Amino acid sequence: MPESIRIGDYVRSPAASGLDATGYAKMCEFELSDFLTRWDALHDDALQVLPERIHPTAQIHPTAIIGEDVIIGPGVRVQEFSTVRKRSVLAAGVSVGFGCEVTHSFVGEDTVLGHQVGIGHSIIGADAHLSANLVIAAISLWNYDMRVPVKEIVLHGPGDEPPYHCTTPQFGGLIGDRVQTGSMITLGPGVAVGRYSAIAASVCMGSTMVPAASVVRSSSPEVTIEPRLT
């Protein structure tokens, strides 16, 4: 497990989204935990310098709900009954399908979110395609009060390497450029998926790093139920 995770090893910075004067233009220079720590302040600064929060070429369905602190780039499409909120960014050309929820997430240029996709506290790369009924969870189930999470999100790699600490109790995933997924998938909290990877339908995976150009499949058809330890 590397001691640091550089965002630029997974996703590219937005180039055509009107974010040149904001910290998002250099997001790929950040180490992941550092970015997660500074994210709120970086987004608030971006809102101060952008001439328009929602680009006039964006197409937003009247039934969609867009938060007052959301940034939406040129050519974005948000379909019926979707919600985009809490300091999210939809970069240029993003397509958000029917009934999605995007919370405190950055979605890279020309990425497609299929119907009923839910992502929270996540960074999604460019040209990715996340199919229908996918969820990226951001809070560990092992918090006894999930309304006030305290358990830090960590990432685990193969072998006996020490875990990577994200320095936050809320982090869904870092999904690389051109990642493709099937449907009915649950990811996170805490995943990092390398560029050009594919995740097959019905995968449930969290606290994991996936190398670039990988294929992830569901290999266990069984569910194991064990006592919860204190």
Side-chain angles (χ1 to χ4, degrees):
M1 174 68 62
E3 295 182 358
S4 65
I5 295 177
R6 181 174 170 271
I7 291 178
D9 292 336
Y10 289 80
V11 307
R12 62 177 173 84
S13 295
S17 300
L19 298 170
D20 295 356
T22 76
Y24 285 112
K26 296 183 178 180
M27 63 183 295
C28 289
E29 298 176 11
F30 278 88
E31 199 273 335
L32 176 59
S33 63
D34 188 30
F35 179 83
L36 295 176
T37 299
R38 301 186 187 188
W39 196 350
D40 285 354
L42 182 150
H43 187 88
D44 291 344
D45 289 345
L47 288 172
Q48 296 298 315
V49 302
L50 286 174
E52 50 197 5
R53 187 173 60 84
I54 300 177
H55 197 273
T57 63
Q59 301 179 44
I60 300 173
H61 194 274
T63 61
I65 299 173
I66 306 298
E68 295 182 356
D69 55 1
V70 168
I71 297 171
I72 295 181
V76 169
R77 299 184 64 182
V78 181
Q79 304 291 354
E80 297 97 320
F81 305 109
S82 287
T83 299
V84 186
R85 66 189 188 95
K86 201 175 181 182
R87 294 188 174 97
S88 289
V89 176
L90 304 182
V94 166
S95 177
V96 178
F98 175 95
C100 294
E101 181 174 345
V102 180
T103 300
H104 204 307
S105 293
F106 178 91
V107 184
E109 293 172 346
D110 297 314
T111 280
V112 174
L113 306 184
H115 301 325
Q116 297 180 323
V117 169
I119 60 175
H121 293 263
S122 295
I123 302 166
I124 313 297
D127 298 300
H129 193 290
L130 308 185
S131 293
N133 296 291
L134 176 144
V135 173
I136 303 180
I139 299 173
S140 173
L141 177 64
W142 308 119
N143 287 282
Y144 281 97
D145 185 351
M146 295 183 70
R147 298 168 299 180
V148 188
V150 296
K151 184 174 177 59
E152 182 187 20
I153 304 301
V154 298
L155 297 173
H156 296 274
D160 297 326
E161 299 90 344
Y164 176 83
H165 290 265
C166 295
T167 69
T168 175
Q170 298 186 68
F171 174 57
L174 174 58
I175 309 299
D177 300 329
R178 295 188 178 274
V179 166
Q180 297 176 311
T181 75
S183 60
M184 304 298 292
I185 289 172
T186 301
L187 303 177
V191 295
V193 182
R195 289 182 171 101
Y196 308 107
S197 292
I199 303 176
S202 302
V203 165
C204 181
M205 175 179 68
S207 189
T208 304
M209 292 186 67
V210 177
S214 296
V215 176
V216 181
R217 296 186 176 91
S218 180
S219 59
S220 176
E222 299 180 356
V223 175
T224 299
I225 301 175
E226 298 177 340
R228 181 174 182 176
L229 302 178
T230 58

